[in-house]
Amino acid sequence: MLDHYTLQPLQSQQFDQNTEKPDLTTTTAVRMVLDRAADVDEALELLAQYDMHASVDMMVHFALADTDGHAVVVEYINNEMVVTVTPVVTNYYLSPGEKYGIGSEESKIRFAILTDLMKENAAFDMDGIRDALNRVSKHNFDSDYASTEWSIVYNQSSGEARYFHRENYEKYYSFAVKGQ
């Protein structure tokens, strides 16, 4: 039911950075970071070289993490790339400023639940992360109009990734991601 959410107009969620750097769309940025960055610092250096443009007129942020445990969220506010150090991200803006909090109230609740779980447990195995994602998926909320489309659990040490589809946390597709 939409009345449970604070939804912002689409226009306030999109971004179109313009600082005279070369242009890059968000979808191309994802491919570039996967192809060229070995860690979070390298990814941030790459992203900082471009003016970012939303591939689709919607709110976008990047969650980046590496095998050393460095995790950040990158958001674009007022022509600036803003980096927030955090291992947790849901569908709302974390950066201070005009976009802070844009997203649903549910996303804020999900963020709080995950943050609390991180405080309780210094480290999770893949099943623990799966259980945490299950705990904050849409079926736990009064959300008749949407579901969690997909969740992915990565083991950054082994390179294993598990893909869970449509809130089915009992079945997953596993594949290996190997470094070069």
Side-chain angles (χ1 to χ4, degrees), residues 6-9 12-13 59 61 91-94 98-104 107-108:
T6 306
L7 298 176
Q8 300 294 323
S12 70
Q13 294 180 0
M59 178 175 78
H61 46 207
N91 296 18
Y92 84 97
Y93 272 81
L94 298 174
E98 71 179 33
K99 291 187 178 181
Y100 177 77
I102 289 178
S104 70
S107 291
K108 295 172 190 176

Side-chain angles (χ1 to χ4, degrees), residues 80-100:
E80 291 184 38
M81 183 177 94
V82 181
V83 178
T84 303
V85 176
T86 178
V88 176
V89 63
T90 58
N91 296 18
Y92 84 97
Y93 272 81
L94 298 174
S95 301
E98 71 179 33
K99 291 187 178 181
Y100 177 77

Side-chain angles (χ1 to χ4, degrees), residues 4-179:
H4 289 222
Y5 300 92
T6 306
L7 298 176
Q8 300 294 323
L10 189 60
Q11 184 178 11
S12 70
Q13 294 180 0
Q14 64 190 16
F15 61 90
D16 199 27
Q17 195 178 18
N18 186 14
T19 66
E20 300 186 17
K21 295 177 189 174
D23 294 324
L24 188 65
T25 62
T26 52
T27 51
T28 304
V30 170
R31 182 76 262 159
M32 179 187 72
V33 167
L34 289 171
D35 287 345
R36 298 185 189 169
D39 58 29
V40 168
D41 290 335
E42 287 183 16
L44 294 174
E45 285 178 32
L46 282 169
L47 293 173
Q49 296 174 33
Y50 297 91
D51 276 346
M52 193 64 60
H53 303 280
S55 298
V56 181
D57 291 340
M58 63 186 309
M59 178 175 78
V60 174
H61 46 207
F62 298 110
L64 306 172
D66 61 31
T67 58
D68 292 330
H70 191 191
V72 302
V73 171
V74 177
E75 299 170 332
Y76 294 87
I77 314 286
N78 295 330
N79 279 335
E80 291 184 38
M81 183 177 94
V82 181
V83 178
T84 303
V85 176
T86 178
V88 176
V89 63
T90 58
N91 296 18
Y92 84 97
Y93 272 81
L94 298 174
S95 301
E98 71 179 33
K99 291 187 178 181
Y100 177 77
I102 289 178
S104 70
E105 290 302 314
E106 177 187 297
S107 291
K108 295 172 190 176
I109 293 166
R110 291 169 48 229
F111 182 86
I113 291 169
L114 291 172
T115 300
D116 287 346
L117 286 171
M118 294 293 295
K119 289 177 186 174
E120 293 171 12
N121 301 296
F124 289 90
D125 62 13
M126 292 183 82
D127 290 336
I129 293 291
R130 178 211 53 215
D131 293 345
L133 292 173
N134 185 15
R135 196 165 161 196
V136 297
S137 69
K138 294 277 189 178
H139 72 266
N140 294 299
F141 298 88
D142 186 19
S143 182
D144 294 334
Y145 73 97
S147 68
T148 299
E149 292 300 313
W150 51 267
S151 299
I152 297 178
V153 176
Y154 298 100
N155 181 320
Q156 293 173 317
S157 299
S158 71
E160 181 185 2
R162 294 180 184 171
Y163 171 88
F164 300 89
H165 187 69
R166 287 272 173 116
E167 300 180 344
N168 180 354
Y169 292 96
E170 299 303 316
K171 178 181 178 183
Y172 61 86
Y173 302 91
S174 180
F175 56 94
V177 179
K178 299 293 181 187

